[in-house]
Amino acid sequence: MLNRRHLRIKALQNIFAWHMADKKDIKGDLKTLMQSIDSVYEMYIWMLSLMVEVTEFTANDAAERANKYIKTAEDINPNMKLLHNKFSVLLQQNPEYISAIKKYKVDWGFDPEIRKTVFNSLKASKEYAEYLADPNETLESSKDIIKYIFRKIILKNQAIIQVFEEKFINWQVDHEVMKGMVAKTLKNFVYDDPFKNKLTEISADWVEDSKFVQDLFVHTLQNNAKYQDMIADRTKNWESERIALMDTILMKMAICELLNFPSIPVKVTINEYLELSKDYSTPKSNSFINGILDKILGDLKKSNTIKKIGRGLIEE
């Protein structure tokens, strides 16, 4: 699921896009931001659906074998265990999953070869042979073969990855979150009653997290000029064009958090944006941003502008 760092990254990406766009539309761009977050959940549902499709391909494989001119004993009497995989069956009966499939209009019919490709790779593995050889199936053992399909076949297949990359433009950033959501789902499915099992939520507390990311995005852009002046006052010896846009955005977001999020400790905010600078800006950005933010923080403290309450009072 998405944590606060992931949400900061989403806000960062969309604030950068806002700066690069000719038309500045905070309301419209906020909608784009929330859609980009929702696309992570959509990606997760598409991945769950693909695994279900693979289990269901067992029936197609059996039909193809039945049409062979010369049949083996296995062709005549194929092992259909995967078709009735407990996890897959419970997932398909889960109300949240059914609703999400409808919402995102998930249908792998646009590329019917994908599930066949995955199934054929699975069929050639010793893990699948061992799965079929066990006459019994518990919910845990049913999840084990699904984990194998997900981790060792789907995520290792570049053709499948390409399909996801084409469908989800932020695959490179979001796929690790999606992987965690799938893993959590497999862990959380422990009941034989499909109504008791829950899909992984987009975040631990979406009501609070949704407000956080929207406020961060909107307040940063609404106060863009104000925060720019604060940065300019502390970078007078720097030519503005020498300061990377990404560095400026990271500092503006940090200032926004310091001033508008009283429950977030100062050190948490500073550390988060320094970490983001390592992944999204230049090699020297970390020390530069740290120095400027330290000076701005000093100014804000002297003017008693920073107001923290609750957990925000903690010096972490």
Side-chain angles (χ1 to χ4, degrees):
M1 61 178 65
L2 290 165
N3 57 34
R4 287 292 175 93
R5 178 167 297 178
H6 298 134
L7 294 174
R8 288 181 176 96
I9 292 171
K10 286 294 182 183
L12 173 65
Q13 292 172 329
N14 285 270
I15 290 171
F16 184 86
W18 182 86
H19 277 279
M20 299 302 292
D22 293 328
K23 181 181 178 182
K24 310 297 185 185
D25 178 13
I26 294 179
K27 185 177 179 180
D29 292 336
L30 175 61
K31 183 178 180 180
T32 301
L33 165 64
M34 300 312 290
Q35 288 173 340
S36 74
I37 293 172
D38 187 61
S39 71
V40 181
Y41 196 82
E42 181 182 0
M43 182 195 300
Y44 156 70
I45 296 299
W46 274 87
M47 185 60 74
L48 290 179
S49 173
L50 178 55
M51 292 186 285
V52 168
E53 290 279 339
V54 174
T55 65
E56 292 187 326
F57 192 80
T58 308
N60 297 65
D61 183 67
E64 289 179 5
R65 290 184 174 194
N67 288 327
K68 285 183 177 180
Y69 183 72
I70 300 176
K71 304 180 184 67
T72 65
E74 189 177 354
D75 293 332
I76 296 171
N77 187 29
N79 190 326
M80 306 288 284
K81 183 179 179 180
L82 187 64
L83 181 63
H84 308 291
N85 178 274
K86 284 190 175 183
F87 172 79
S88 178
V89 171
L90 287 170
L91 181 60
Q92 292 176 75
Q93 296 172 345
N94 182 275
E96 292 177 318
Y97 176 75
I98 294 171
S99 176
I101 290 291
K102 292 179 180 177
K103 175 184 176 181
Y104 298 117
K105 298 179 175 60
V106 179
D107 183 356
W108 283 99
F110 73 93
D111 195 341
E113 287 299 308
I114 286 183
R115 61 178 186 166
K116 183 176 182 179
T117 298
V118 178
F119 184 82
N120 285 340
S121 296
L122 174 65
K123 192 166 62 172
S125 69
K126 66 178 181 61
E127 285 79 5
Y128 186 55
E130 292 170 355
Y131 170 74
L132 296 181
D134 187 350
N136 301 311
E137 182 176 61
T138 64
L139 181 51
E140 284 304 311
S141 65
S142 76
K143 290 191 290 186
D144 286 341
I145 194 65
I146 297 296
K147 290 176 187 176
Y148 177 79
I149 293 170
F150 175 56
R151 296 172 181 172
K152 301 300 182 181
I153 300 179
I154 293 176
L155 294 180
K156 301 291 185 181
N157 188 300
Q158 288 305 309
I160 296 174
I161 298 303
Q162 184 176 350
V163 170
F164 274 94
E165 286 178 333
E166 291 173 355
K167 187 168 184 60
F168 300 99
I169 60 173
N170 289 318
W171 166 267
Q172 292 298 331
V173 175
D174 295 340
H175 76 281
E176 288 296 333
V177 177
M178 178 276 297
K179 286 164 60 177
M181 293 176 73
V182 171
K184 189 173 179 64
T185 304
L186 286 161
K187 181 180 179 181
N188 287 348
F189 266 58
V190 295
Y191 300 105
D192 289 329
D193 182 347
F195 293 93
K196 290 184 178 181
N197 296 309
K198 299 294 182 182
L199 296 188
T200 305
E201 296 181 353
I202 189 64
S203 78
D205 186 345
W206 183 234
V207 173
E208 286 295 319
D209 290 338
S210 175
K211 185 177 186 308
F212 165 76
V213 72
Q214 291 185 70
D215 286 349
L216 177 61
F217 180 80
V218 171
H219 290 326
T220 299
L221 294 183
Q222 285 180 339
N223 294 282
N224 181 61
K226 175 184 174 181
Y227 298 159
Q228 182 64 52
D229 289 342
M230 293 172 69
I231 294 169
D233 286 343
R234 283 301 182 177
T235 55
K236 291 180 179 178
N237 295 327
W238 288 75
E239 296 177 12
S240 59
E241 60 268 19
R242 290 183 59 198
I243 303 175
L245 174 59
M246 186 61 74
D247 290 357
T248 302
I249 293 173
L250 287 166
M251 288 188 284
K252 288 177 181 177
M253 291 175 69
I255 295 169
C256 179
E257 268 195 38
L258 292 172
L259 295 175
N260 297 286
F261 296 84
S263 65
I264 301 177
V266 168
K267 286 188 177 180
V268 169
T269 293
I270 300 298
N271 289 338
E272 283 294 321
Y273 289 99
L274 291 180
E275 286 300 312
L276 289 180
S277 71
K278 294 177 183 178
D279 293 328
Y280 293 94
S281 201
T282 67
K284 296 181 179 180
S285 293
N286 185 270
S287 58
F288 172 72
I289 291 173
N290 188 36
I292 302 303
L293 286 180
D294 186 61
K295 293 176 183 178
I296 291 173
L297 178 59
D299 294 339
L300 295 175
K301 284 183 175 180
K302 286 179 182 178
S303 62
N304 199 29
T305 307
I306 295 179
K307 307 293 183 182
K308 295 293 180 181
I309 59 173
R311 184 174 177 272
L313 294 169
I314 301 172
E315 285 294 329
E316 297 183 359

